[in-house]
Amino acid sequence: MENNNQQAQPQQTYQQTYQQTYQQPAQAQQVYQAPYDPNYAATAKEFLTKAIVACAISTIPVGSIISIFMGTNNRKNILEYIDRGGFHTVKIKVCSALSRAAKYGGIGMTIFWGIWSLYMFLAYLIVAIGIAAATT
């Protein structure tokens, strides 16, 4: 038989040594200087005006074709402005989105007006043939 009556051995206790923490010396903070554009307000207004006009005329039959070119050129100018270091604000982002919407809206409405014009031409042609056949 085994002897289970072993004497309990005292457990060793370890005390953690105190380490004093030192504060790191303050480092020089770099201050971010945003680029300054004195013409930002005028430039953003011009971009936004062109984008809104391009979106507005994208539903007109001939304006849809004009809208494609206006939207494309305006968006290209916005991207060039940003590449030159201009501000990339919410207003500029909205101008870019509206310009893209004008471009694709113009493409869609050009297709719509083309199909509609073809449909109306064929309808008038059928009516004209019907009238001509009825009168002879």
Side-chain angles (χ1 to χ4, degrees):
M1 272 201 158
E2 294 180 29
N3 185 4
N4 289 334
N5 294 331
Q6 294 178 359
Q7 289 183 348
Q9 294 180 0
Q11 292 185 348
Q12 291 180 353
T13 56
Y14 295 101
Q15 288 184 351
Q16 187 174 7
T17 59
Y18 177 74
Q19 292 181 351
Q20 185 175 3
T21 57
Y22 294 99
Q23 188 175 15
Q24 294 291 329
Q27 295 179 357
Q29 297 273 337
Q30 281 189 333
V31 178
Y32 174 73
Q33 291 289 335
Y36 177 71
D37 185 8
N39 298 325
Y40 167 74
T43 305
K45 181 180 177 186
E46 178 185 345
F47 289 150
L48 189 59
T49 304
K50 286 182 181 179
I52 291 172
V53 169
C55 280
I57 66 172
S58 68
T59 58
I60 302 171
V62 177
S64 62
I65 298 169
I66 297 169
S67 172
I68 295 169
F69 295 110
M70 280 184 70
T72 302
N73 288 336
N74 195 37
R75 187 158 182 338
K76 183 184 68 151
N77 292 338
I78 290 169
L79 294 177
E80 286 175 1
Y81 170 76
I82 292 170
D83 286 342
R84 285 192 313 259
F87 292 134
H88 195 223
T89 60
V90 174
K91 193 171 188 178
I92 297 297
K93 290 178 185 180
V94 168
C95 295
S96 178
L98 285 175
S99 296
R100 184 178 284 177
K103 175 184 174 184
Y104 293 120
I107 291 170
M109 290 306 291
T110 300
I111 293 169
F112 169 78
W113 287 118
I115 292 171
W116 183 83
S117 299
L118 182 63
Y119 172 76
M120 294 306 288
F121 174 74
L122 291 176
Y124 288 134
L125 184 64
I126 291 170
V127 169
I129 291 172
I131 292 173
T135 57
T136 57

